[in-house]
Amino acid sequence: MTDRYAVFGNPIGHSRSPWIHARFAEQTGEDIQYDRLEVSLDGFAEAVELFQESGGSGLNVTVPFKEEAWAVADSRSPRAEACGAVNTLLFRNDGGRHGDNTDGEGLVRDLRGNHGVTIQGRRVLVLGAGGAVRGVLQLIAGEHPAMLLIANRTVHKAAELLPLCHDAEDTAACGFEDVAGHGPFDVVINGTSTGLSGELPPLPEGIFADNATAYDMVYGATEPVFLRWAREQGATRTIDGLGMLVEQAAESFRLWRGVTPDTAPVIQELRGAIAEEARK
Ligand code: ATR
């Protein structure tokens, strides 16, 4: 029998997850169906219950429901427990719900596996302190950077995330104007939502070390503004969030199916499809 999965979010029309999981299923021969559902803002818990009762096997959860997904899980992985957000629910045979968060693993695998970027022993700057950053910070710290600085417009929100960073050798939180005093950095990761509106966080110049990598958690047909700025500032390598998207999906797929898909051809094909859509 075909097992059913879906991604819940609001809005959800833009989600690439059904496409990605269809590729994974094709590649691994797993018999699954994967849909997307726009859930009303006050209807998340009920929608999860309905999907589970109707025989669904698991869910991906995206903005703005990741915290609510954490709450509806009755068991959680340590990485989901720590960040307070769940992007993957797995319905157990006993009727319970296991919650996990694969975003941090997706980011680290993309950096390390797809791009050969090491975090261990490096000076790392993370920009932003919202949900996107909260979900990945513990995994970044778990790679043991020499320094992990969180910079955010609202400084106290960055400081509140420091407990997630205890695996880093040294940590600090500050506003954008104080970043230069802690630099330069080998890896700079933009997790603010500024890119979505074509803006840049107000960063000082000269924050990149030699051979630095700039990473933006967003992706699109055109280069994110932050990556363009980073290139102009001398960053050697610039990486957008498309690989992270596919890698977090692969980790969800592995949790559900026990099979790890090969992400490289899916990343390549998705990159091509996005470029093709933009040309039309
Ligand atoms: P997400 O789920 O995408 O992380 P979020 O939780 O609303 O969304 O977080 C948005 C992040 O982008 C925050 O770090 C926010 O900074 P504040 O905490 O100070 O609000 C940051 N951000 C949004 N717009 C920004 C702007 N114009 N300049 C700088 N930072 C911005």
Side-chain angles (χ1 to χ4, degrees):
M1 212 176 72
T2 306
D3 291 331
R4 286 171 44 231
Y5 300 88
V7 56
F8 282 8
N10 187 335
I12 200 67
H14 62 280
S15 175
R16 305 274 175 185
S17 293
W19 186 92
I20 294 169
H21 283 279
R23 291 298 168 290
F24 290 165
E26 212 171 79
Q27 183 195 96
T28 58
E30 293 289 307
D31 185 14
I32 69 160
Q33 181 190 329
Y34 188 111
D35 299 309
R36 65 178 157 221
L37 188 71
E38 184 160 295
V39 174
S40 67
L41 293 176
D42 60 356
F44 178 74
E46 197 186 345
V48 171
E49 209 162 302
L50 279 175
F51 188 72
Q52 188 173 14
E53 276 170 10
S54 74
S57 297
L59 286 171
N60 277 142
V61 179
T62 185
V63 178
F65 300 122
K66 290 183 184 181
E67 287 79 17
E68 275 189 79
W70 187 92
V72 303
D74 59 23
S75 70
R76 298 175 202 102
S77 67
R79 60 192 179 189
E81 191 69 44
C83 72
V86 155
N87 78 339
T88 308
L89 286 167
L90 187 153
F91 301 148
R92 296 192 310 267
N93 291 335
D94 66 3
R97 300 162 183 160
H98 182 72
D100 203 340
N101 193 318
T102 65
D103 287 332
E105 180 71 22
L107 170 60
V108 167
R109 272 196 214 165
D110 190 39
L111 272 171
R112 195 192 325 117
N114 298 334
H115 298 281
V117 176
T118 322
I119 289 178
Q120 187 173 18
R122 298 290 163 86
R123 300 181 66 80
V124 177
L125 167 62
V126 172
L127 307 170
V133 167
R134 177 179 284 274
V136 301
L137 214 45
Q138 196 194 28
L139 273 281
I140 295 171
E143 295 289 300
H144 303 287
M147 167 67 186
L148 182 51
L149 178 68
I150 312 168
N152 195 43
R153 180 175 59 181
T154 315
V155 180
H156 77 87
K157 284 174 68 184
E160 281 161 22
L161 298 183
L162 287 175
L164 289 169
C165 302
H166 53 76
D167 284 334
E169 282 173 41
D170 186 17
T171 57
C174 68
F176 296 124
E177 63 285 0
D178 294 325
V179 162
H182 297 270
F185 294 92
D186 303 300
V187 181
V188 181
I189 299 168
N190 183 21
T192 69
S193 53
T194 53
L196 301 173
S197 51
E199 291 173 90
L200 262 180
L203 288 162
E205 306 214 327
I207 62 170
F208 292 98
D210 289 344
N211 292 317
T213 297
Y215 195 101
D216 200 320
M217 287 164 66
V218 304
Y219 66 90
T222 53
E223 184 181 35
V225 252
F226 168 70
L227 296 184
R228 193 170 65 220
W229 176 81
R231 265 194 302 111
E232 288 161 8
Q233 288 288 313
T236 313
R237 215 167 350 193
T238 55
I239 307 167
D240 73 6
L242 188 137
M244 173 181 170
L245 172 76
V246 176
E247 294 295 342
Q248 63 78 29
E251 178 65 358
S252 294
F253 192 89
R254 185 188 69 78
L255 289 166
W256 291 326
R257 312 302 300 175
V259 187
T260 305
D262 182 8
T263 50
V266 180
I267 291 172
Q268 200 184 0
E269 198 185 337
L270 181 56
R271 179 84 63 199
I274 289 172
E276 182 62 33
E277 283 168 21
R279 271 195 295 273
K280 278 182 189 156

